């Protein structure tokens, strides 16, 4: 049976641009290789936005060396980038952006959501890339809710959406560079769920809503992450009320992690090169 290593959370919210009030639930700055291949997770919201005619969000900014995974639960997000990709995602949809060798992108509330206003809640996860892929071409996967496989949990405990990886033979919708699982669980009140986690993987259970008890008595509530050991095996989860969980597992990338703002590479020299490339205009020019 998998064992709990620690519980982490953050009750301090900060704004990213003027559209994303986030809490960073974990980061490589604090936990380093313990969370590899994942780098950080920002939980935006829940927040109620008033209607507006203004654009809310984050303007053009660069990334290099990793991927961003945006999962929307409430509201709508519009993406555009310098590789010519773009789209709008709503509740249940996912944007999987591969920055890799370099990309400039922007994220805003969709015009329709901005005009209407309403509740907003989303997650953005950063996934590291191995050194051999850090300078690969940039890419984008716009994954709609209808494209994500859904499996019913035993005993009417709830459902699991397989965004990436594999769950008991059902493959997820996303393409990944290294073996990872991203499972989105809706667990019913009072239900018990047993999850089989891969041996050797970093494994985390992120509680987005509700309150759960994990393994032998470890409690966790909204906006908390429980880190598990890498031995793998079953982990028992009991939902005290209706709960929304994000389960993350991944094969660790055993390489140095050097980050500076929007760049995550393997050395200080690579970070300096990324900054020089961006400041000199050698990143891909933003698409019109």
């Amino acid at each position: 049976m998998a064992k709990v290593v620690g519980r982490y959370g953050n009750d301090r919210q900060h704004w990213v641009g003027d559209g994303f009030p986030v809490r960073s639930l974990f980061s490589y700055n604090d936990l380093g290789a313990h969370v590899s291949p994942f780098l950080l997770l920002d939980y935006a919201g829940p927040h109620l936005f008033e209607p507006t005619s203004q654009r809310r969000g984050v303007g053009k900014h660069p990334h290099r060396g990793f991927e961003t995974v945006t999962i929307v639960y409430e509201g709508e997000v519009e993406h555009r980038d310098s590789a010519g990709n773009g789209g709008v995602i709503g509740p249940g949809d996912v944007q999987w952006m591969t920055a890799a060798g370099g990309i400039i992108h922007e994220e805003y509330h969709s015009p329709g959501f901005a005009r209407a206003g309403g509740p907003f809640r989303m997650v953005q996860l950063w996934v590291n890339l191995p050194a051999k892929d850090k300078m690969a071409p940039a890419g984008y996967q716009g994954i709609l809710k209808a494209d994500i496989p859904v499996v019913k949990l035993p005993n009417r405990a709830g459902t699991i959406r397989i965004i990436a990886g594999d769950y008991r033979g059902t493959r997820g919708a996303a393409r990944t560079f290294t073996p990872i699982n991203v499972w989105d669980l809706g667990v019913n009140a009072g239900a018990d769920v047993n999850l089989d986690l891969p041996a050797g993987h970093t494994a985390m259970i992120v509680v987005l809503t509700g309150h759960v008890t994990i393994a032998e008595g470890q409690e966790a509530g909204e906006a908390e992450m429980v880190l598990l050991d890498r031995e793998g095996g079953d982990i028992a989860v009991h939902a005290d009320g209706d709960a929304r969980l994000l389960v993350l597992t991944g094969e660790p990338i055993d390489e140095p992690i050097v980050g500076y703002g929007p760049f995550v590479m393997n050395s200080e020299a690579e970070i300096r090169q990324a900054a020089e490339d961006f400041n000199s205009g050698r990143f891909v020019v933003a698409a019109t």
Side-chain angles (χ1 to χ4, degrees), residues 9 15 17 38 42 68 82 124 144 158 201 203 210 216 221 225 252-253 265 271-272:
W15 283 85
F38 307 106
D42 281 345
T68 68
S82 53
Q124 186 167 95
L144 299 179
H201 275 211
E216 297 179 358
M225 180 273 280
I253 299 173
M265 304 300 288
I271 292 293
R272 289 194 295 271

Side-chain angles (χ1 to χ4, degrees), residues 47-269:
H47 188 87
L48 182 64
F49 283 95
E50 296 296 324
T52 183
S53 59
Q54 304 298 314
R55 297 190 79 189
R56 288 195 181 110
V58 184
K60 292 182 175 65
H61 59 284
H63 287 299
R64 175 178 280 182
F66 61 98
E67 302 185 282
T68 68
V69 181
T70 303
I71 307 169
V72 173
Y73 292 95
E74 295 178 285
E76 288 184 341
V77 176
E78 181 181 40
H79 168 99
R80 290 195 301 174
D81 66 42
S82 53
N85 301 303
V88 173
I89 60 170
D93 300 336
V94 176
Q95 287 175 340
W96 197 295
M97 185 189 77
T98 303
I103 204 166
I104 300 168
H105 80 136
E106 57 186 47
E107 296 168 291
Y108 287 95
H109 295 182
S110 73
F113 177 71
R115 286 192 301 269
F120 185 87
R121 190 164 55 93
M122 61 162 253
V123 164
Q124 186 167 95
L125 171 71
W126 288 16
V127 181
N128 202 8
L129 291 172
K132 66 182 182 65
D133 296 315
K134 281 190 176 292
M135 295 300 291
Y140 175 82
Q141 301 173 69
I143 305 170
L144 299 179
K145 178 180 179 180
D147 299 326
I148 299 173
V150 179
V151 175
K152 292 182 179 180
L153 294 168
N155 302 316
R156 299 182 179 179
T159 59
I160 177 169
R161 302 194 315 144
I162 305 92
I163 295 171
D166 176 274
Y167 177 77
R168 297 186 177 180
T170 299
R171 295 292 304 170
R175 302 183 304 274
T176 67
F177 282 79
T178 60
I180 67 173
N181 292 300
V182 179
W183 300 336
D184 181 28
L185 277 68
V187 185
N188 296 328
D192 293 291
V193 176
N194 285 296
L195 300 170
D196 187 18
L197 305 178
H201 275 211
T202 295
M204 292 176 271
I205 297 176
V206 181
V207 183
L208 301 178
T209 62
H211 186 276
V212 299
T213 303
I214 298 170
E216 297 179 358
Q218 176 63 69
E219 296 185 10
E222 179 178 320
E224 290 188 319
M225 180 273 280
V226 174
L227 181 65
L228 307 169
D229 66 17
R230 292 176 177 163
E231 296 300 314
D234 288 344
I235 190 74
V237 179
H238 174 79
D240 301 312
D242 289 344
R244 172 65 60 177
L245 313 177
L246 199 59
V247 178
L248 309 173
T249 87
E251 187 176 281
I253 299 173
D254 188 18
E255 296 171 352
I257 304 171
V258 181
Y260 180 78
F263 310 131
V264 181
M265 304 300 288
N266 298 114
S267 69
E268 294 286 353

